[in-house]
Amino acid sequence: MNDLFSASGLSEGAPQPLADRLRPRTLSNVVGQDHLLGPDGPLRRMLEAGRLSSIIFWGPPGVGKTTIARLLASETDLEFEAISAIFSGVKDLRAAFERAEARRSTGKGTLLFVDEIHRFNKAQQDGFLPFVEGGVVTLVGATTENPSFEINGALLSRCQVMVLKRLDEKGLSLLIDRAEAMEEQRLPVEPAARDALIDMADGDGRYLLNLVEQVYTFAGKGEPLTVAAMSAALQKRAPAYDKSGEGHYNLISALHKSVRGSDPDAAMYWFARMLEGGEDPRFLARRLVVMASEDIGLADPTAMMVAGEAARAFERLGEPEGLIPLAHCVVHLATAPKSNAAYMALKKARAAARETGSLMPPKAILNAPTSMMKDQGYGDGYIYDHDTEEGVSGQNYFPDEMPRPVFYEPKGHGRERAVMERMRFVAEIRDRNRR
C-alpha cells in the first residue's frame, strides 16, 4: 500500500522518529481537536451515522491532519491511500484513481488523503470531481491555506471544511507526558525549561516531539538542562506566517484594526509579529500611509506627514534602524484622533460622479479665455471670494441641474472640530446669499 510513510522511505523495521512512534492509534487519543472528535463533534457524528463525506482539513502544521485521516480510514474500513501535492502530478493522480476503481470493483472503498491539496492547480483539482461525485474515493484533503482562496469552488462545494486548531499548552504538555512514558524516563530538563520547550513549539505537536527527541539526545545522562542550555541547543519554531497567504492578510488586518481602535500596544504587537514572520517593512510602511489617510484623515493631518516621513526614513536607513521610525509611526497613528470622513466623502463623491455623468460646471465659475466664450456667458456673475468681507462668496460650485449633496461630514474629533465650525460658517453665508 502506498502512503506517506512508505513514500518517505520508512518501513516497519527502520528507525522511526519519536513523533511517528507516538502517532495515535485511535481517534480518542488525538490531542487538541475535541471540537471535531468529541461527542458532539462533526467527525464523531459522521462515524456514528456510518457516513463519511469528503473533507478538507484546514489547519496549521503539526496538529494531526494526516493522523486523523489515517484513523478515519481505519474506523470506516476504507483503504488508506496518501499522496502529496508537492511530489505528485497528473500521472500519480490517475494511478491512484485507477487503484481505487479496482478496489471498488471488489467491494472495497478508498480514502484518498491528499496532503497540501492547495498546491494542485485548479485544473488538477477539477480532476477529482468525477471520482468524488461517483463515490470512487472519499477525499480527505489537508491544507494550511484558506480553502476559500485556494480550493476550486466546484471541489469545495462537494467537501466539508473542518478547521483544526493549533495545540494549546495543555495539549502540548500531554504530548510530553506521552513521550516520557514511551522513553520510560522523565524529560531531562528543569521545570522552567519544560515550559520554554512548549513555548518554542508554537502550537506544533510534531515539532514539539522533535524537540523532545533532541533534548533526550543532548542531555544524555548529565544534569537536567536549564532554560539557557536548552535554548542554546534547540531552535525555536519560526512563527507560522506566509507572506503571500492568509496569515499575511490576517495579521495586516489585525494591525490595521488595532490602529483604528486606538490600541498602540496591540498595534505594536501585530507590527512586530509581521516583522518576525519576515514581512517586507516597505509593505508595512505603505499600509501605514493608508491607515493615516483612511482612519485618521483631517482629525490629525500630521498623521499623513508622519507616515510619509517614516516610509522615507526606512528607505534611507534600511534595517534595523529604519524600523524605529516605522514603530514611531505605529504609535502615532494608534494614539491619534480618528476620522474616516474624508475617505467616506471620496466614496460618496465617486458614486455621485458615476450617477451624474457629464453635467457641466456652472458657467459662472468657468474661465473665458476667448471672446466667444465670454459671449456664451462663461464667467458671468463670478464673485472673487477674496473681495468679499468674509473671504467667502457662498456661490454654487455644483452643476446647475444637480441638487447640492453632502459628501464630507467631519466627525468633530481632533482638528476636525475646527473644520466643522468653518464649514458651518461657510454654509450660513451660502444660505444667506441663496435667500
Side-chain angles (χ1 to χ4, degrees):
M1 177 179 64
N2 292 327
D3 60 30
L4 292 178
F5 305 102
S6 59
S8 64
L10 291 174
S11 65
E12 293 298 324
Q16 285 183 287
L18 179 62
D20 283 328
R21 287 184 282 135
L22 274 176
R23 195 179 289 276
R25 300 290 184 263
T26 64
L27 287 170
S28 60
N29 284 333
V30 173
V31 172
Q33 309 303 333
D34 290 346
H35 64 293
L36 299 178
L37 296 168
D40 296 322
L43 279 176
R44 180 61 59 192
R45 291 200 300 270
M46 277 188 191
L47 293 173
E48 289 173 353
R51 290 202 223 153
L52 183 64
S53 64
S54 289
I55 300 167
I56 301 294
F57 285 145
W58 174 27
V63 296
K65 296 187 288 292
T66 304
T67 295
I68 294 174
R70 176 178 282 276
L71 294 174
L72 287 175
S74 176
E75 290 267 352
T76 54
D77 196 30
L78 296 173
E79 185 75 15
F80 181 79
E81 177 147 3
I83 60 174
S84 169
I86 298 175
F87 303 112
S88 305
V90 174
K91 180 180 178 182
D92 304 285
L93 284 174
R94 188 179 296 117
F97 292 136
E98 288 174 356
R99 289 191 294 272
E101 287 181 317
R103 288 189 203 102
R104 193 185 189 201
S105 67
T106 65
K108 181 73 171 178
T110 300
L111 186 151
L112 178 62
F113 176 68
V114 183
D115 198 24
E116 304 284 344
I117 190 171
H118 63 276
R119 293 183 181 270
F120 279 134
N121 62 38
K122 300 298 184 184
Q124 289 170 320
Q125 290 177 27
D126 275 340
F128 287 93
L129 295 176
F131 300 97
V132 171
E133 284 183 334
V136 176
V137 299
T138 298
L139 174 66
V140 177
T143 178
T144 56
E145 299 295 328
N146 190 327
S148 60
F149 297 148
E150 303 295 336
I151 306 299
N152 187 316
L155 181 59
L156 199 59
S157 69
R158 291 160 175 81
C159 301
Q160 288 198 40
V161 175
M162 297 192 183
V163 180
L164 278 74
K165 300 177 180 178
R166 67 190 298 275
L167 303 188
D168 59 16
E169 183 178 342
K170 180 180 177 181
L172 293 170
S173 182
L174 178 57
L175 289 182
I176 295 179
D177 292 342
R178 291 181 182 178
E180 291 175 330
M182 176 165 283
E183 296 294 325
E184 297 182 341
Q185 69 174 107
R186 299 283 294 175
L187 191 64
V189 296
E190 294 180 352
R194 179 188 171 108
D195 294 338
L197 192 69
I198 289 173
D199 179 62
M200 292 173 77
D202 193 29
D204 186 328
R206 180 173 54 243
Y207 191 78
L208 174 71
L209 292 175
N210 290 339
L211 292 176
V212 167
E213 193 164 30
Q214 292 178 57
V215 166
Y216 278 120
T217 302
F218 292 140
K221 298 184 183 300
E223 291 294 318
L225 294 176
T226 63
V227 173
M230 188 184 71
S231 298
L234 303 179
Q235 183 176 4
K236 181 182 173 84
R237 180 188 182 278
Y241 184 74
D242 181 353
K243 288 187 285 183
S244 62
E246 196 205 10
H248 165 85
Y249 297 106
N250 286 345
L251 267 61
I252 194 59
S253 175
L255 171 58
H256 195 148
K257 289 180 173 63
S258 298
V259 166
R260 181 181 295 155
S262 298
D263 189 334
D265 295 319
M268 190 62 73
Y269 171 73
W270 295 117
F271 176 71
R273 275 281 301 275
M274 296 186 80
L275 290 176
E276 292 301 309
E279 184 58 73
D280 184 349
R282 288 170 295 185
F283 166 77
L284 292 168
R286 292 193 296 271
R287 296 307 304 174
L288 291 172
V289 173
V290 172
M291 295 174 208
S293 182
E294 179 180 335
D295 290 295
I296 297 167
L298 292 175
D300 178 8
T302 66
M304 274 292 289
M305 291 184 272
V306 170
E309 282 304 312
R312 281 187 284 275
F314 178 81
E315 291 292 345
R316 294 190 190 104
L317 299 173
E319 294 190 59
E321 290 88 351
L323 298 179
I324 300 171
L326 292 181
H328 167 187
C329 180
V330 169
V331 174
H332 184 106
L333 300 189
T335 55
K338 305 296 188 295
S339 173
N340 69 343
Y343 173 51
M344 298 306 294
L346 172 63
K347 294 175 72 172
K348 288 185 281 189
R350 292 192 69 177
R354 288 191 293 269
E355 291 171 4
T356 55
S358 304
L359 294 179
M360 286 287 291
K363 286 186 177 180
I365 65 171
L366 299 181
N367 291 330
T370 68
S371 57
M372 185 190 76
M373 294 173 76
K374 288 178 182 177
D375 293 342
Q376 295 272 328
Y378 282 51
D380 282 355
Y382 176 66
I383 303 170
Y384 188 55
D385 293 79
H386 298 291
D387 288 343
T388 66
E389 182 178 349
E390 295 94 346
V392 179
S393 66
Q395 60 198 326
N396 178 48
Y397 298 99
F398 281 97
D400 292 329
E401 305 92 332
M402 181 178 175
R404 180 178 181 83
V406 175
F407 300 138
Y408 176 54
E409 300 179 81
K411 303 293 183 73
H413 303 150
R415 185 184 174 277
E416 273 197 330
R417 184 171 300 170
V419 173
M420 183 182 292
E421 292 301 320
R422 172 71 178 170
M423 289 180 63
R424 286 174 180 162
F425 170 71
V426 173
E428 288 173 1
I429 294 174
R430 187 183 304 116
D431 290 343
R432 187 177 67 223
N433 289 348
R434 194 162 47 239
R435 291 195 295 270

